[in-house]
């Protein structure tokens, strides 16, 4: 992938932050609280993000997007989460670009990207995980068998978010059985599935979770995908999907950074205002120090996020940095979430204060989109050269 042509100046980055914050002011925390209570999709917010062009930031200008990079995309998601919102409702449209832009052909880009940029089409579903495979992506069993000018897909995916609110799905399936390939990463292929005309061949079942993430399981029953919707070369999909995974890690790290700053902002404000025993509780080191420590950890994780985003935009290998950014940011933010909950005390459990909602959201990124234990294993093996642990 060529390097990103447009590089924003610090002033332009701050303008992006300011513009996103301004948009988020139209969607106060009461909006997000009500959406969470109803387990509803934030349709109005996603529409506003689309109309102002923020969801198409990674799409090149020639296809109707902003033509910016991962650095700018990360800033957008960070500011949404810092405002008290949940950018998970729209982030997949950004991280799927890692695979589509780097490995999709010109015909696919011309057919889909302008409509995705305008909001006519939504690409918000990333179909990888399966019930029996979990994090072992090479063991997925959903198959895509070529028959003439189509691939016929059968199988099941789970933990696929926003399927009900997406027109397209980036789908990984086996085109060659695992026992017939030289390497277990071979034989996997990546597709752009247009779900609009396959409704009779798809069964989507919502999963009730502690976080309002529009999560589903999806069953494929002779689902048809035209050959021209194969991304890249058949059997090489695992390599292609890594581009999307690295983008996903960086963007999730950005969301975690935003969440962490949210917790610090709210904890500082409450610790200054709340008085017990005739003094602000923030004067107590037991309250002050955990907030300060969380802030330092978040600032450090932000630096790793920035490094990973820069490498991604330059077309360099950023697997280690992307994974480390996700790990560090999610751990720092979980620490900040607990510090905020402790600062608020009993009030932190009251929905009207919003801390409990963001607390639940922050916990997700310890295990998704990849478990932090697997990140530690990746770093141990691929960065430090330690023996494979599993």
């Amino acid at each position: 992938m060529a390097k990103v042509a447009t590089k924003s100046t610090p002033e332009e980055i701050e303008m992006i932050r300011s513009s996103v914050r301004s948009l988020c002011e139209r969607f106060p925390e009461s909006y997000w609280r009500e959406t969470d209570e109803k387990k509803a999709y934030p349709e109005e917010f996603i529409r506003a993000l689309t109309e102002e062009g923020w969801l198409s930031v990674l799409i090149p200008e020639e296809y109707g997007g902003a033509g910016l990079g991962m650095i700018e995309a990360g800033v957008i998601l960070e500011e949404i989460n810092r405002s008290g919102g949940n950018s998970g409702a729209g982030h997949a449209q950004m991280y799927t670009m890692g695979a589509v832009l780097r490995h999709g052909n010109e015909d696919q880009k011309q057919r889909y990207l302008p409509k995705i940029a305008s909001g006519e089409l939504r690409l918000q579903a990333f179909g990888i995980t399966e019930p029996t495979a979990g994090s072992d992506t090479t063991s997925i069993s959903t198959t895509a068998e070529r028959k003439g000018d189509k691939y016929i897909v059968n199988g099941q995916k789970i933990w696929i978010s926003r399927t009900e609110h997406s027109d397209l799905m980036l789908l990984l399936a086996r085109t060659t059985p695992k026992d017939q390939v030289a390497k277990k990463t071979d034989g996997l292929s990546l597709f752009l599935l247009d779900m609009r005309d396959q409704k009779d061949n798809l069964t989507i079942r919502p999963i009730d979770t502690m976080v309002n993430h529009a999560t589903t399981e999806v069953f494929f029953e002779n689902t048809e995908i035209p050959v021209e919707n194969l991304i890249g070369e058949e059997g090489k999909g695992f390599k292609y999907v890594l581009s999307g995974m690295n983008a996903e890690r960086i963007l999730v790290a950005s969301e975690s950074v935003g969440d962490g700053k949210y917790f610090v902002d709210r904890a500082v404000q409450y610790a200054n205002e709340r008085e017990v025993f005739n003094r602000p509780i923030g004067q107590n080191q037991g309250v002050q120090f955990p907030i300060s420590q969380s802030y330092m950890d978040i600032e450090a994780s932000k630096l790793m996020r920035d490094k990973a985003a820069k490498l991604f935009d330059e077309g360099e290998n950023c697997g280690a940095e992307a994974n480390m950014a996700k790990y560090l940011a999610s751990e720092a933010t979980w620490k900040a979430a607990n510090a905020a909950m402790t600062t608020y005390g009993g009030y932190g459990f009251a929905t009207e204060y919003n801390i409990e909602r963001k607390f639940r959201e922050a916990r997700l990124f310890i295990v998704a989109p990849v478990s932090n234990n697997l990140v530690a294993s990746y770093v141990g093996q691929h960065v430090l050269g330690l023996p494979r642990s599993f």
Side-chain angles (χ1 to χ4, degrees), residues 173-217:
R174 274 221 164 266
T175 43
T176 304
K178 188 176 180 180
D179 59 4
Q180 296 179 22
V181 294
K183 294 169 53 180
K184 63 181 181 179
T185 55
D186 292 340
L188 294 165
S189 299
L190 191 63
F191 302 90
L192 264 176
L193 166 63
D194 191 331
M195 295 185 287
R196 293 171 299 172
D197 60 355
Q198 290 298 305
K199 292 180 180 178
D200 292 339
N201 301 322
L202 287 171
T203 301
I204 300 171
R205 295 179 183 170
I207 301 173
D208 193 10
T209 62
M210 68 181 282
V211 181
N212 182 28
H213 223 59
T215 304
T216 67
E217 57 180 336

Side-chain angles (χ1 to χ4, degrees), residues 51-293:
E51 290 173 352
E52 293 199 10
W54 298 120
L55 285 186
S56 62
V57 65
L58 292 176
I59 296 176
E61 291 181 274
E62 59 263 37
Y63 305 111
L68 298 177
M70 193 59 61
I71 292 172
E72 292 84 353
V75 166
I76 292 166
L77 299 188
E78 178 187 325
E79 289 301 321
I80 292 170
N81 280 35
R82 187 175 186 176
S83 77
N86 183 357
S87 56
H91 64 188
Q93 186 156 308
M94 291 185 178
Y95 63 67
T96 49
M97 291 299 110
V100 174
L101 290 175
R102 292 189 174 190
H103 306 291
N105 59 42
E106 185 60 26
D107 172 67
Q108 291 164 347
K109 294 174 184 178
Q110 291 285 357
R111 280 191 290 131
Y112 290 112
L113 292 185
K115 293 181 179 180
I116 293 171
S118 69
E120 183 179 342
L121 288 178
R122 280 186 183 165
L123 175 52
Q124 287 289 359
F126 202 6
I128 297 180
T129 308
E130 297 185 7
T132 58
S135 298
D136 184 6
T137 301
T138 61
S139 293
I140 64 171
S141 56
T142 295
T143 60
E145 181 182 0
R146 182 164 180 174
K147 293 187 176 181
D149 59 355
K150 297 177 182 178
Y151 284 91
I152 308 300
V153 180
N154 285 282
Q156 178 187 1
K157 299 290 181 179
I158 198 167
W159 308 121
I160 312 304
S161 298
R162 298 164 302 277
T163 313
E164 296 173 294
H165 307 283
S166 184
D167 301 302
L168 307 173
M169 175 188 288
L170 197 61
L171 175 69
L172 187 69
R174 274 221 164 266
T175 43
T176 304
K178 188 176 180 180
D179 59 4
Q180 296 179 22
V181 294
K183 294 169 53 180
K184 63 181 181 179
T185 55
D186 292 340
L188 294 165
S189 299
L190 191 63
F191 302 90
L192 264 176
L193 166 63
D194 191 331
M195 295 185 287
R196 293 171 299 172
D197 60 355
Q198 290 298 305
K199 292 180 180 178
D200 292 339
N201 301 322
L202 287 171
T203 301
I204 300 171
R205 295 179 183 170
I207 301 173
D208 193 10
T209 62
M210 68 181 282
V211 181
N212 182 28
H213 223 59
T215 304
T216 67
E217 57 180 336
V218 185
F219 298 86
F220 303 89
E221 304 164 55
N222 296 320
T223 306
E224 298 181 357
I225 303 178
V227 169
E228 57 265 28
N229 280 24
L230 170 70
I231 300 288
E233 184 181 347
E234 182 180 298
K236 304 297 182 183
F238 184 80
K239 178 178 70 174
Y240 304 149
V241 86
L242 289 180
S243 296
M245 287 181 174
N246 285 337
E248 181 184 55
R249 309 286 194 263
I250 297 168
L251 293 172
V252 163
S254 300
E255 293 175 67
S256 281
V257 167
D259 282 336
K261 290 186 175 184
Y262 169 90
F263 288 120
V264 169
D265 291 344
R266 296 302 188 275
V268 167
Q269 180 183 6
Y270 191 78
N272 279 321
E273 294 175 351
R274 174 69 165 163
E275 292 190 1
V276 179
F277 301 117
N278 300 315
R279 58 190 253 164
I281 62 173
Q283 191 173 341
N284 301 315
Q285 293 179 352
V287 172
Q288 184 180 122
F289 284 10
I291 300 173
S292 300
Q293 291 161 356

Side-chain angles (χ1 to χ4, degrees), residues 218-381:
V218 185
F219 298 86
F220 303 89
E221 304 164 55
N222 296 320
T223 306
E224 298 181 357
I225 303 178
V227 169
E228 57 265 28
N229 280 24
L230 170 70
I231 300 288
E233 184 181 347
E234 182 180 298
K236 304 297 182 183
F238 184 80
K239 178 178 70 174
Y240 304 149
V241 86
L242 289 180
S243 296
M245 287 181 174
N246 285 337
E248 181 184 55
R249 309 286 194 263
I250 297 168
L251 293 172
V252 163
S254 300
E255 293 175 67
S256 281
V257 167
D259 282 336
K261 290 186 175 184
Y262 169 90
F263 288 120
V264 169
D265 291 344
R266 296 302 188 275
V268 167
Q269 180 183 6
Y270 191 78
N272 279 321
E273 294 175 351
R274 174 69 165 163
E275 292 190 1
V276 179
F277 301 117
N278 300 315
R279 58 190 253 164
I281 62 173
Q283 191 173 341
N284 301 315
Q285 293 179 352
V287 172
Q288 184 180 122
F289 284 10
I291 300 173
S292 300
Q293 291 161 356
S294 296
Y295 173 78
M296 290 186 281
D297 288 346
I298 291 160
E299 286 297 304
S301 69
K302 180 177 176 293
L303 292 176
M304 182 58 75
R305 186 279 308 268
D306 292 344
K307 180 180 181 180
K310 182 176 182 294
L311 288 171
F312 187 96
D313 285 342
E314 293 174 348
E316 301 293 336
N317 181 16
C318 64
E321 291 78 8
N323 276 282
M324 288 190 290
K326 182 269 177 187
Y327 180 102
L328 294 171
S330 61
E331 293 287 345
T333 291
W334 183 234
K335 186 175 179 179
N338 282 278
M341 185 66 83
T342 299
T343 301
Y344 274 76
Y347 290 103
F349 290 84
T351 58
E352 65 179 290
Y353 284 84
N354 298 295
I355 297 299
E356 65 85 25
R357 172 178 58 85
K358 294 298 288 182
F359 186 88
R360 287 184 280 114
E361 291 174 7
R363 185 59 178 84
L364 173 66
F365 292 143
I366 298 291
V367 297
V370 60
S371 167
N372 281 356
N373 285 335
L374 280 177
V375 174
S377 174
Y378 175 91
V379 171
Q381 180 184 349

